[in-house]
């Protein structure tokens, strides 16, 4: 077996004291129980990249449950055992968690011509994972402390900045890895290795994305949207057919790139004007800008963490063209403007401002937000009652008339409002 034996002990010793201490004790417990003990996965990747990641995943070649029980006698944390899987979770008082898994051996079918090769458990367990950069381990037993186990070329791929799967069926076996490839490529600014790209495309052609539940796809999409360099991720997803694989009408174009580049600018212009809108939500609306309205139902669940989000997305997108048409009319007065926009969520206003290229419409949106959006009448139905006005449908007309005068800037004080209410009521009676 090929194996790279880079010495990582220097990197281990650079870790914060309390993290190193956990690994140190794990190594000693491994020695005591005569079990090979490793830290694996994202922790190793980020250790090599010298990026903070304190999610400790331990892997042992032996009884993981017994190992976890002994390890926890040193920490007296909360211990959860999952006997069926041979896994355990220790949670320390400070919130630090330590995952323990038992390396599982699996037997693979090799083409008949090849001899059946016996692999170690650690090899088998690492081979089940997603990308080479995530499949390294560092041994913790004291005599081998810091020894890097890199069966699949993870270190080379870190150097070459490549996301690479271990075997051709990886995406078929676990289609979420299609999205994970994008996420890690974006996070580290790595490329996706050529053959891996082909495997992604083959998996999509075989309809593997449709096999994932809406929830899984949404979780993965949101991870991607929250990583940096989203535009780049989306371009790669478009390029590899991932967006079309999610839904045939999903795609991004130059228009998206342009609006996306304006998000920060928009947010800063609306700072203090509207409540802090969620940039992720804004991004999603821009991504769906050209999506056919009548099919929104088919994708909205893939992008919404809850009903409220789904609603905002739906309202913003389905009203967009109508709002633009109304705002394009000449000589809108303030009350007309108010009526067009006041029932919409703030996120719609910001979305339109980012999406729309027409400077007049953008001006109206900003003017409304700064000057009109918060206007309310002082008086309510209670006050009309006190004025001796008989309750009924006329209340609606009267309060509307007062609001209109206020939006138009014709009245200011509560006395103005009461007077107008009274006068207007008289005129109604007169009719
Ligand atoms: N893994 C996998 N296939 C998946 C999910 C996870 O093979 N669909 C493996 C990866 O090798 C990964 C490990 O399980 O290293 C832990 O998964 P996760 O915590 O999601 O990955 P991290 O690498 O820790 O990613 P992050 O930095 O985003 O937490």
């Amino acid at each position: 077996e090929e194996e790279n034996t880079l010495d990582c002990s220097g990197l281990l010793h650079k870790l914060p004291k309390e993290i190193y201490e956990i690994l140190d004790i794990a190594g000693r417990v491994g020695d005591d129980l005569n079990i090979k003990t490793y830290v694996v996965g994202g922790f190793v990747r980020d250790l090599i990249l010298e990026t903070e990641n304190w999610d400790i995943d331990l892997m042992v070649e032996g009884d993981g449950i017994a190992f976890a029980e002994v390890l926890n006698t040193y920490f007296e944390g909360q211990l959860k055992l999952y006997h069926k899987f041979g896994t355990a979770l220790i949670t320390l008082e400070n919130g630090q968690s330590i995952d323990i898994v038992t390396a599982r051996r699996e037997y693979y079918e090799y083409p008949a011509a090849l001899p059946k090769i016996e692999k170690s458990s650690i090899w088998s367990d690492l081979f089940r994972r997603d990308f080479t950069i995530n499949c390294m381990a560092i041994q913790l037993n004291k005599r081998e402390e810091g020894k890097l186990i890199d069966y699949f070329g993870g270190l080379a791929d870190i150097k070459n900045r490549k996301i690479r799967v271990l075997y051709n069926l990886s995406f078929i076996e676990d289609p979420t890895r299609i999205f994970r490839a994008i996420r890690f490529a974006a996070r580290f600014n790595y490329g996706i290795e050529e053959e891996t790209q082909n495997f992604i495309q083959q998996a999509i052609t075989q309809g593997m994305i449709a096999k994932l539940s809406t929830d899984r796809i949404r979780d993965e999409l949101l991870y991607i949207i929250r990583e940096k360099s989203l535009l780049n991720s989306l371009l790669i997803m478009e390029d590899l057919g991932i967006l079309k694989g999610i839904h045939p009408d999903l795609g991004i174009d130059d228009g998206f790139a342009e609006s996306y580049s304006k998000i920060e600018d928009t947010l800063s212009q609306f700072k203090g004007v509207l409540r802090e809108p969620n940039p992720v939500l804004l991004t999603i609306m821009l991504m769906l800008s050209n999506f056919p309205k009548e099919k929104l139902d088919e994708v909205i669940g893939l992008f919404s963490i809850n009903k409220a989000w789904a609603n905002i997305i739906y309202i913003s997108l389905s009203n967009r063209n109508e709002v633009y048409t109304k705002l394009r009319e000449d000589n809108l007065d303030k009350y007309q403007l108010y009526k067009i926009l006041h029932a919409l969520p703030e996120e719609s206003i910001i979305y339109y401002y980012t999406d729309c290229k027409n400077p007049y419409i953008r001006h109206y949106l900003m003017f409304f937000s700064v000057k009109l959006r918060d206007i309310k009448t002082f008086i309510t139905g209670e006050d009309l009652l006190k004025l001796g006005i008989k309750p009924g449908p006329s209340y609606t007309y009267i309060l509307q008339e007062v609001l209109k005068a206020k939006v138009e800037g014709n009245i200011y004080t509560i006395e103005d409002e009461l007077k107008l209410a009274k006068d207007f009521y008289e005129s109604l009676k007169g009719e």
Side-chain angles (χ1 to χ4, degrees):
E1 273 169 30
E2 237 180 275
E3 114 183 10
N4 196 328
T5 50
L6 179 92
D7 184 4
C8 292
S9 43
L11 288 171
L12 290 179
H13 285 279
K14 275 206 250 171
L15 286 165
K17 209 169 94 278
E18 55 289 4
I19 301 289
Y20 176 72
E21 193 187 54
I22 294 169
L23 301 180
D24 179 51
I25 294 174
R28 291 176 198 282
V29 170
D31 285 346
D32 289 344
L33 300 180
N34 199 17
I35 290 176
K36 284 188 180 171
T37 304
Y38 307 87
V39 60
V40 296
F43 184 93
V44 175
R45 176 198 70 214
D46 290 337
L47 183 78
I48 292 171
L49 288 168
E50 303 198 42
T51 308
E52 283 195 11
N53 175 353
W54 312 142
D55 290 336
I56 299 179
D57 290 310
L58 300 178
M59 182 187 282
V60 298
E61 264 186 334
D63 185 347
I65 299 287
F67 176 90
E69 283 175 324
V70 176
L71 184 64
N72 195 42
T73 60
Y74 290 86
F75 300 117
E76 298 180 338
Q78 204 187 46
L79 174 67
K80 276 200 191 138
L81 301 173
Y82 304 91
H83 290 274
K84 199 171 146 202
F85 305 104
T87 62
L89 172 66
I90 296 174
T91 310
L92 307 189
E93 221 163 53
N94 63 7
Q96 171 72 46
S97 62
I98 306 166
D99 268 290
I100 295 125
V101 302
T102 306
R104 272 192 287 157
R105 191 187 299 240
E106 273 173 27
Y107 292 93
Y108 298 92
E109 291 299 320
Y110 288 91
L114 286 175
K116 198 160 183 173
I117 311 161
E118 176 93 11
K119 296 290 186 185
S120 66
S121 310
I122 173 97
W123 187 96
S124 301
D125 205 303
L126 292 173
F127 186 68
R128 289 188 295 112
R129 294 171 180 240
D130 54 3
F131 309 114
T132 59
I133 61 166
N134 290 340
C135 297
M136 291 178 283
I138 295 173
Q139 197 163 353
L140 299 174
N141 303 84
K142 284 295 143 187
R143 279 180 53 187
E144 293 90 355
E145 188 187 73
K147 177 176 157 191
L148 180 71
I149 309 293
D150 178 19
Y151 296 121
F152 311 108
L155 192 60
D157 283 332
I158 285 183
K159 291 201 178 111
N160 301 326
R161 311 177 70 86
K162 291 287 180 219
I163 304 299
R164 182 197 309 268
V165 281
L166 307 190
Y167 53 98
N168 54 0
L169 295 180
S170 190
F171 295 112
I172 306 278
E173 281 173 14
D174 181 354
T176 58
R177 289 175 178 169
I178 294 169
F179 299 97
R180 290 173 62 86
I182 303 294
R183 163 151 54 113
F184 290 115
R187 184 187 306 173
F188 302 120
N189 192 20
Y190 286 7
I192 299 175
E193 177 272 331
E194 289 275 318
E195 217 181 6
T196 300
Q197 290 192 22
N198 293 336
F199 296 147
I200 289 179
Q201 288 174 312
Q202 286 164 20
I204 293 169
T205 308
Q206 293 182 42
M208 296 314 295
I209 293 180
K211 300 220 169 23
L212 295 173
S213 69
T214 300
D215 287 357
R216 299 275 312 267
I217 297 178
R218 184 197 42 234
D219 289 348
E220 293 297 333
L221 283 174
L222 288 174
Y223 283 136
I224 291 171
I225 291 174
R226 291 190 184 110
E227 291 279 350
K228 55 183 198 249
S229 53
L230 172 65
L231 185 57
N232 208 14
S233 302
L234 290 173
L235 291 171
I236 300 172
M237 289 172 81
E238 175 78 36
D239 198 42
L240 294 177
I242 299 174
L243 294 178
K244 298 276 175 293
I246 297 171
H247 189 288
D249 292 314
L250 210 56
I252 59 154
D253 53 18
D254 295 347
F256 172 80
E258 198 190 328
S259 329
Y260 181 72
S261 70
K262 289 195 295 196
I263 288 185
E264 240 174 78
D265 202 35
T266 307
L267 294 180
S268 73
Q269 289 190 55
F270 278 90
K271 214 175 171 84
V273 176
L274 299 180
R275 181 168 43 82
E276 291 272 297
N278 186 326
V280 172
L281 185 52
L282 189 52
T283 304
I284 289 169
M285 295 198 281
L286 292 171
M287 280 177 69
L288 295 175
S289 267
N290 294 326
F291 194 86
K293 265 203 290 197
E294 69 283 1
K295 295 188 197 166
L296 273 175
D297 286 347
E298 296 167 24
V299 291
I300 235 158
L302 296 173
F303 291 97
S304 317
I305 48 168
N306 54 35
K307 280 238 165 69
W309 267 42
N311 248 332
I312 292 171
I313 296 173
Y314 188 80
I315 290 172
S316 305
L317 293 171
S318 58
N319 285 307
R320 185 184 58 164
N321 292 340
E322 195 188 322
V323 168
Y324 289 179
T325 305
K326 287 184 181 163
L327 292 181
R328 237 178 248 124
E329 270 167 39
D330 290 336
N331 303 322
L332 280 182
D333 65 35
K334 287 179 189 167
Y335 189 58
Q336 285 170 313
L337 182 61
Y338 180 89
K339 277 198 298 189
I340 297 167
L341 297 174
H342 86 277
L344 292 167
E346 306 191 320
E347 287 86 353
S348 306
I349 308 288
I350 295 210
Y351 161 62
Y352 298 150
Y353 191 83
T354 317
D355 168 73
C356 188
K357 308 211 165 32
N358 180 320
Y360 297 99
I361 293 181
R362 284 162 60 88
H363 168 75
Y364 277 138
L365 291 164
M366 182 56 83
F367 180 83
F368 165 80
S369 305
V370 175
K371 297 278 189 191
L372 307 181
R373 190 166 195 278
D374 293 331
I375 294 181
K376 283 185 190 68
T377 58
F378 292 120
I379 62 169
T380 64
E382 291 286 311
D383 299 290
L384 301 186
L385 205 60
K386 282 186 208 146
L387 286 176
I389 299 173
K390 206 171 100 229
S394 65
Y395 273 40
T396 311
Y397 300 125
I398 297 168
L399 290 174
Q400 220 167 49
E401 189 66 16
V402 173
L403 178 65
K404 178 165 179 256
K406 201 160 183 189
V407 168
E408 284 170 348
N410 299 332
I411 59 170
Y412 301 96
T413 65
I414 187 162
E415 290 76 22
D416 292 343
E417 290 185 19
L418 288 168
K419 179 166 185 309
L420 179 65
K422 221 157 67 202
D423 293 350
F424 187 68
Y425 177 61
E426 295 302 329
S427 76
L428 279 181
K429 273 202 310 194
E431 271 169 23

